[in-house]
Amino acid sequence: MLSYAEENYLKAIYHLSESGKKSVSTNAISEVLKTKPASVSDMIKKLSDKGYVSYKKYKGVNVSIKGEKSALLVIRKHRLWEVFLVDKLGFNWDEVHEIAEQLEHIKSPTLVTKLDKFLGYPRIDPHGDPIPDENGQIINKSKVPLVEVALEKQVIVTGVESSESEFLAHLDKINISLGSKLTIKDINSFDGSMQLDIVGHPTIFISKQVAENLLVTE
């Protein structure tokens, strides 16, 4: 059985590798987990010995098939708990990440199965991220950053690139949430800021940084 720390490492490596598509450096892992590179190297060796990661010197580390499944099951628990906290306990979407970080390490498969059923088998979490199924399978729907959308084209907010609480709280203040329908009316050539029409709300201006972190679909 994986420890709390081992699960965190697998999840971090999976995310940094863009869902297992590329290898990542120990320095990148160290930065995300806020730990020393030497400690990262020790953990990678431990996970490699157990068959959860593959590591090549100077090329980096990635999750194995076994490690990917384990990482996705942790992610599944995290996102289900986020749904529970928002839908059933009334938390805001900017308040749930750190709590779910603790709850995701509960080991009981039965609890997770019952939680999934209780929630009505949700497909996405409160931030628009897909929830893996009990076999670790995940379906990613195509999304693009708002900065890649053309003028006068209406899109729907279906996710966020950043789950930082400050960013989510800012979106609440400007009346943007999952499902919001947006149309870009103007783009400032100097700083990339945008004028947006939001269905049901007044026209607003957002920074390029906000637009880069908003994920949308047509």
Side-chain angles (χ1 to χ4, degrees), residues 118-191:
F118 175 68
L119 294 172
Y121 306 104
R123 298 292 184 88
I124 60 171
D125 72 6
H127 309 111
D129 294 317
I131 299 173
D133 67 19
E134 60 187 4
N135 296 312
Q137 299 298 312
I138 192 167
I139 299 174
N140 284 299
K141 293 187 177 181
S142 179
K143 303 173 186 176
V144 297
L146 186 60
V147 288
E148 296 181 11
V149 175
L151 284 171
E152 299 296 341
K153 186 174 185 179
Q154 188 179 84
V155 292
I156 300 173
V157 177
T158 51
V160 288
E161 188 67 38
S162 170
S163 293
E164 293 290 329
S165 59
E166 292 86 356
F167 174 63
L168 299 176
H170 176 66
L171 293 184
D172 285 336
K173 288 181 181 178
I174 59 176
N175 298 309
I176 293 179
S177 60
L178 295 188
S180 292
K181 295 180 180 179
L182 313 176
T183 304
I184 301 173
K185 305 304 291 184
D186 190 32
I187 301 175
N188 188 311
S189 59
F190 173 69
D191 61 5

Side-chain angles (χ1 to χ4, degrees), residues 5-71:
E6 288 170 335
E7 288 184 338
N8 280 339
Y9 269 85
L10 286 177
K11 189 176 67 166
I13 294 167
Y14 177 80
H15 283 312
L16 287 168
S17 68
E18 296 180 1
S19 304
K21 295 175 184 176
K22 67 176 187 179
S23 295
V24 296
S25 68
T26 54
N27 285 337
I29 300 168
S30 173
E31 184 176 343
V32 166
L33 295 179
K34 296 179 174 58
T35 188
K36 296 178 181 178
S39 298
V40 175
S41 297
D42 290 343
M43 179 59 80
I44 287 173
K45 183 179 185 308
K46 187 176 181 181
L47 290 171
S48 178
D49 290 344
K50 292 183 176 183
Y52 287 100
V53 300
S54 57
Y55 175 73
K56 292 183 179 179
K57 196 172 183 180
Y58 306 121
K59 292 187 177 181
V61 63
N62 205 339
V63 289
S64 64
I65 293 175
K66 178 181 177 182
E68 179 180 4
K69 184 173 181 179
S70 295

